[in-house]
Amino acid sequence: MAVKNNVLVCTPLECETLEEMMASMEKAKEEGADPVELCIASMACSHISDVDKLIKQRTLPAIVSFRLKSSRTLSNGGCYNTCLKVLKRALELDVEFVEMDYEVASDANMTEYLYNRSNSRIIVSSYVNGWKPSTEKLADLIARMQATGADVIKLDICVDYITDLAPVFTILTHSQVQLIAMAAGSRDLISQLLGPKFGGFLVYGSLGGKSIPGLPSLLSLRQVYKIEYMNADTKVFGLISNPVAHSKGPILHNPTFRYTGYNGIYVPMLVDDIKEFFETYTGSDFAGFSVGIPHKEAAVTCCDEVHPLAKSIGAVNTIVRRPMDGKLIGYNTDCEASISAIEDALRGRQVSKNGVPHSASPIAGRTFVLIGAGGAGRALAFGAKLKGARIVIFNRNYKRAKALAKAVSGEALPYEFLEKFCPEKGMILANASAIGMEPNSHQSPVPKEALRAYELVFDAVYTPRNTRLLKEAAEVGAIVVSGVEMFARQALGQFRLFTSGLAPEDFMRKLVMEQF
């Protein structure tokens, strides 16, 4: 195991009462927080006596903060005076950290306390909102904040896109003062997950697995990402997708990196514009990517080189930055993963019936009904074509269905014909759309009665593991193949590409069975 870094993992406690604060602090201790942030402004009544009790009875090191913009009940003047009183008292009690807004730290009323404090360290924070971060503007702001006598600088940043975080990582790397970068939003999760790699002093996690945009949970920071072992040499991998919250990749790839001794981290990346993403994150630190919805086709044009299979499919689900020259190389591991999973399931039935499987692909000559014409659909269509299947494609966008059908010498039919389509029995059905994915797991692309026409039903959706489509297919007697099987197989292929060959199949499959 690598040497631990010195990054602190903190969780903010926003509670209304002293009792709730104390209880939450105990929970934070159980979940692995180093310090907690005691957000005094969240308390319904911020009496100094309660602040005294909270600080004196704390069971973890603490950051005492009083954020003016989050104060609940006081008038502006009263709020400001209460803020000063709380922060001064925290300094008198030698709490480990006192956090104050830049405006408060610049106030002459705080000067005496800042320069005559005993043991407390001062965190000066500023909200970066209303302007796009740049390294120049951030550096200028940090210099002004440092002049207040701050020990640690905190930037509370609001960004619109994941690409806006690039200057933040640059500042973290080159800052001469201990720096915290906090960006809270659905596109900002990597600000916390990658903070330790780029030299961040402290990162935040949510308590009790509570979902807060931009904040990973404390438990995931400690158990999944184990960020205490990150360093400047850690290679960054991740899923480029939108949405991305459903991804199970982090709970598979991160433990496998540690199992193989590879210094890497795999993180979810909510990306709006994939071209802009690759134009922004060009460094060798960003070493490899999984590509998800809706970027698999657009990813082809972002690569310097594309593997012939991926080029023929017209979709890339894996990109690796080649170490020798930094070029982006695109691959498709979906095709082999999905088709081999379907073939193995069909061969399994052949063996149970006849005792000996056929040497030819059990897909050959079969009618292969495909729902979806996006990246995953293209991988399935080209894979089925290579195996000799007759392909029929349904997609809500009929134009896309026709274009894919033409590429694989198949047939496209209007989506509304899907429910009644039954030219023969024993067909294969493959769902490559997002229908049935959490949070819409009550949906299915095909009515239960229509599933009687199929010998095998495959669903590329893997959250939930057993979709409504698969449940109903099993009830009418069809062989069912879960997207989890495809996920495991394509992930093995990706991991080999990420690490130039390392891929402990038994370990990864065991993780899939335990975690999915």
Side-chain angles (χ1 to χ4, degrees):
M1 183 67 78
V3 177
K4 286 188 175 183
N5 58 42
N6 295 318
V7 69
L8 298 178
V9 178
C10 177
T11 192
L13 303 184
E14 296 185 347
C15 306
E16 292 193 3
T17 67
L18 172 64
E19 292 73 24
E20 289 172 347
M21 280 284 197
M22 294 303 299
S24 294
M25 198 182 313
E26 284 303 310
K27 190 168 183 59
K29 189 175 183 179
E30 292 171 8
E31 294 186 7
D34 293 313
V36 290
E37 181 184 345
L38 304 176
C39 304
I40 305 300
S42 69
M43 297 178 71
C45 188
S46 305
H47 287 303
I48 287 299
S49 60
D50 282 344
V51 175
D52 274 21
K53 290 177 184 176
L54 187 58
I55 294 174
K56 291 176 180 177
Q57 295 175 18
R58 68 190 184 279
T59 56
L60 278 175
I63 301 170
V64 171
S65 70
F66 194 107
R67 294 179 182 161
L68 292 172
K69 78 170 192 175
S70 64
S71 181
R72 296 159 43 95
T73 58
L74 299 175
S75 64
N76 287 337
C79 173
Y80 191 79
N81 291 334
T82 302
C83 170
L84 293 180
K85 190 181 297 184
V86 166
L87 298 180
K88 289 176 180 178
R89 184 56 179 154
L91 288 169
E92 290 170 355
L93 293 174
D94 284 341
V95 73
E96 287 79 12
F97 297 93
V98 176
E99 179 182 336
M100 59 189 70
D101 294 339
Y102 176 35
E103 293 77 10
V104 175
S106 304
D107 191 316
N109 290 317
M110 288 300 298
T111 303
E112 178 186 349
Y113 285 86
L114 289 176
Y115 286 96
N116 294 303
R117 64 185 186 273
S118 179
N119 297 314
S120 298
R121 302 187 68 197
I122 302 298
I123 301 172
V124 175
S125 62
S126 180
Y127 292 96
V128 178
N129 195 359
W131 49 276
K132 188 173 181 177
S134 68
T135 51
E136 295 78 12
K137 287 183 178 180
L138 292 175
D140 178 65
L141 176 60
I142 289 169
R144 286 185 278 116
M145 294 169 68
Q146 194 175 3
T148 64
D151 299 299
V152 181
I153 300 297
K154 177 181 173 183
L155 301 176
D156 206 331
I157 302 169
C158 180
V159 301
D160 296 318
Y161 304 103
I162 195 170
T163 48
D164 294 340
L165 291 172
V168 177
F169 294 139
T170 300
I171 285 292
L172 280 173
T173 301
H174 297 291
S175 177
Q176 299 302 305
V177 62
Q178 290 182 320
L179 189 61
I180 302 168
M182 171 66 176
S186 57
R187 288 157 177 77
D188 307 331
L189 187 63
I190 62 170
S191 73
Q192 300 311 293
L193 296 180
L194 301 184
K197 171 182 169 55
F198 294 106
F201 173 69
L202 177 149
V203 297
Y204 290 89
S206 62
L207 186 63
K210 184 180 178 183
S211 178
I212 300 175
L215 282 193
S217 69
L218 275 177
L219 289 175
S220 70
L221 287 173
R222 290 305 194 193
Q223 297 175 10
V224 176
Y225 298 102
K226 289 193 179 291
I227 62 169
E228 63 268 29
Y229 294 108
M230 289 179 66
N231 56 46
D233 296 324
T234 301
K235 294 297 182 183
V236 178
F237 301 86
L239 171 63
I240 294 172
S241 187
N242 187 359
V244 76
H246 68 282
S247 174
K248 301 289 189 181
I251 63 177
L252 178 61
H253 287 291
N254 286 304
T256 309
F257 281 140
R258 293 191 291 273
Y259 181 81
T260 58
Y262 189 94
N263 187 9
I265 184 172
Y266 185 98
V267 298
M269 299 173 170
L270 200 161
V271 172
D272 297 280
D273 185 327
I274 188 172
K275 183 179 179 182
E276 183 184 11
F277 177 87
F278 282 117
E279 288 173 348
T280 302
Y281 293 102
T282 59
S284 59
D285 285 322
F286 292 85
F289 311 90
S290 308
V291 183
I293 296 172
H295 300 305
K296 293 186 180 186
E297 294 166 82
V300 175
T301 62
C302 297
C303 296
D304 299 296
E305 297 176 18
V306 179
H307 186 273
L309 175 62
K311 185 177 290 186
S312 67
I313 293 170
V316 159
N317 81 315
T318 309
I319 297 176
V320 175
R321 193 182 301 278
R322 193 160 57 196
M324 67 180 76
D325 56 13
K327 289 186 180 295
L328 298 174
I329 316 301
Y331 302 88
N332 190 301
T333 65
D334 282 338
C335 181
E336 172 64 21
S338 56
I339 296 300
S340 65
I342 291 170
E343 286 182 317
D344 288 350
L346 287 169
R347 288 192 178 109
R349 176 166 286 190
Q350 288 176 356
V351 170
S352 66
K353 283 183 176 180
N354 307 319
V356 181
H358 296 299
S359 56
S361 170
I363 294 174
R366 306 283 286 273
T367 297
F368 192 98
V369 178
L370 174 64
I371 306 169
R378 295 186 68 86
L380 278 155
F382 276 86
K385 176 191 176 183
L386 289 172
K387 300 297 183 176
R390 170 181 171 255
I391 303 162
V392 181
I393 302 170
F394 294 88
N395 190 66
R396 292 191 187 279
N397 185 325
Y398 185 46
K399 185 177 179 180
R400 283 174 63 86
K402 287 195 296 183
L404 179 54
K406 182 179 179 180
V408 296
S409 303
E411 180 183 4
L413 293 174
Y415 192 80
E416 55 268 23
F417 290 6
L418 174 60
E419 181 177 342
K420 301 295 184 182
F421 183 75
C422 186
E424 61 192 73
K425 298 292 185 181
M427 298 184 294
I428 297 168
L429 176 67
N431 176 39
S433 75
I435 299 171
M437 181 187 291
E438 292 177 349
N440 300 310
S441 54
H442 61 286
Q443 297 177 352
S444 175
V446 181
K448 181 176 179 179
E449 282 305 308
L451 295 174
R452 297 186 186 277
Y454 300 96
E455 181 181 3
L456 179 142
V457 175
F458 165 82
D459 198 341
V461 172
Y462 65 85
T463 53
R465 177 174 186 162
N466 195 17
T467 62
R468 179 180 173 183
L469 174 64
L470 295 184
K471 289 176 184 176
E472 294 182 345
E475 288 169 5
V476 299
I479 304 168
V480 296
V481 180
S482 169
V484 170
E485 183 59 34
M486 173 187 171
F487 175 83
R489 295 180 187 220
Q490 65 82 28
L492 276 164
Q494 287 188 335
F495 200 85
R496 291 189 186 101
L497 292 168
F498 289 161
T499 61
S500 301
L502 293 172
E505 183 169 353
D506 290 344
F507 178 80
M508 292 181 77
R509 282 194 169 277
K510 183 173 182 290
L511 274 177
V512 169
M513 292 302 106
E514 291 174 349
Q515 301 288 342
F516 284 61

